[in-house]
Amino acid sequence: MRLSVALSNDETGVDPQSIVAQARLAEELGYAGVWVPDHLLPPEQYGDVYGGVYEALMLLSHVAAVTTRVTLGTTVIIVPLREPVLLAKQLSTLERLAPGRVVFGVGVGWDASEFDAVGVPFAERGARTDETIELIQAVHRGDRPAENHFFGSAAGVFEPRPSAPIPVMVGGMTGPAFRRAARVADRWQAFGLTPQEFRTKREELDRMAAPRRISAGIMLSRASSQESVAELLVRLGAYEEAGADEVTIHFGSSAQTSAPMTELMERWRAGHRS
């Protein structure tokens, strides 16, 4: 099972270089990837509910410049709030800066007030997401996308194309999200599930996506700043037993993550060598 880090892009006062330092440490320690959240205009203060203070793809482009190995992922881009051709270009540019390291994590959003704030119909979010994924994959392949209801037909030359297909990760546990994952995703990311609930969903996803196998992971936060690394290791072991391919961990404030990030990876590696 891979371990990754959810970068602390959820503190309005944080220096972005602190987040970048967290990403560099994650790579040095051997974590598989770093992930950033996305919200364009959340209606409430950042914190446990919202992330994405710094724009996700711009932040990852800087992380790409100071790392060489870790996966760079979004967890998740609120796709229906984005203009699709620009998003396609941003993703392909990032992939050319970090070949083979980008994962396009997608979500439809859940807060109607955020959609109202930027003038996007909340009821259309699922259809917009599906059509945007289809358009992005088409232009990345070099195909001319078919005209669609929301965005019309793309004209002109799309460059740069990514050096390899960018994997799609679908986040969420709703019925539509789960069906979307089974239909188009390379990865699925859960949150808020117990290990047994995760196992059940993992098995359901395997049945729905067959004969394809989709990589399945979960996002975890430390239960509190008082949760010990030993306690976190027990939780990780339970998700590994439940069939998780990856666990992405939000350690908390970027200023307080170095020690637990380091201890966790050292102990995880030691346990998997024994």
Side-chain angles (χ1 to χ4, degrees):
M1 186 176 77
R2 302 182 300 272
L3 299 186
S4 292
V5 174
L7 299 179
S8 301
N9 188 25
D10 48 15
E11 310 162 58
T12 54
V14 69
D15 185 334
Q17 293 304 319
S18 176
I19 302 173
V20 173
Q22 189 183 22
R24 296 182 70 172
L25 177 61
E27 175 163 275
E28 292 167 6
L29 292 172
Y31 285 90
V34 294
W35 297 79
V36 294
D38 171 62
H39 278 286
L40 294 183
L41 196 60
E44 300 177 7
Q45 69 181 35
Y46 286 89
D48 293 337
V49 176
Y50 291 107
V53 174
Y54 295 102
E55 198 284 321
L57 296 174
M58 290 192 70
L59 180 61
L60 287 177
S61 70
H62 185 62
V63 172
V66 298
T67 58
T68 60
R69 180 190 56 78
V70 284
T71 294
L72 310 172
T74 55
T75 179
V76 287
I77 291 284
I78 309 301
V79 171
L81 299 182
R82 300 290 187 123
E83 197 287 315
V85 178
L86 175 59
L87 179 56
K89 197 174 188 74
Q90 290 172 313
L91 287 165
S92 58
T93 298
L94 179 61
E95 197 281 335
R96 293 292 287 269
L97 291 168
R101 292 203 283 145
V102 177
V103 176
F104 177 29
V106 307
V108 301
W110 53 270
D111 194 321
S113 59
E114 183 176 17
F115 283 70
D116 291 342
V118 297
V120 174
F122 185 68
E124 297 178 358
R125 66 195 188 280
R128 285 175 176 266
T129 297
D130 290 337
E131 292 190 357
T132 297
I133 294 171
E134 182 179 351
L135 182 147
I136 288 173
Q137 292 179 327
V139 296
H140 282 183
R141 290 192 304 265
D143 299 339
R144 185 177 298 278
E147 185 171 349
N148 60 62
H149 177 67
F150 294 111
F151 307 114
S153 59
V157 176
F158 182 90
E159 290 291 347
R161 290 169 55 192
S163 63
I166 297 174
V168 172
M169 186 276 286
V170 170
M173 283 89 59
T174 65
F178 213 59
R179 291 190 293 273
R180 183 175 295 110
R183 187 173 65 252
V184 303
D186 304 285
R187 300 184 181 203
W188 170 66
Q189 187 180 77
F191 58 91
L193 297 181
T194 66
Q196 184 54 52
E197 290 169 338
F198 180 89
R199 182 191 299 276
T200 299
K201 284 290 190 182
R202 152 99 271 182
E203 293 171 350
E204 181 183 353
L205 184 63
D206 286 342
R207 290 192 297 271
M208 292 174 64
R212 295 194 309 125
R213 186 184 187 278
I214 297 172
S215 177
I218 189 165
M219 170 81 74
L220 296 181
S221 295
R222 293 179 70 188
S224 72
S225 60
Q226 303 305 311
E227 182 182 31
S228 69
V229 169
E231 291 168 330
L232 183 54
L233 279 166
V234 171
R235 286 208 286 156
L236 291 177
Y239 285 104
E240 186 175 36
E241 287 290 322
D245 298 301
E246 182 169 10
V247 173
T248 299
I249 306 151
H250 185 279
F251 285 92
S253 167
S254 59
Q256 301 173 353
T257 58
S258 297
M261 281 174 60
T262 301
E263 182 182 354
L264 178 67
M265 181 53 74
E266 288 177 348
R267 295 180 64 167
W268 177 258
R269 284 180 158 176
H272 282 68
R273 285 196 298 266
S274 59

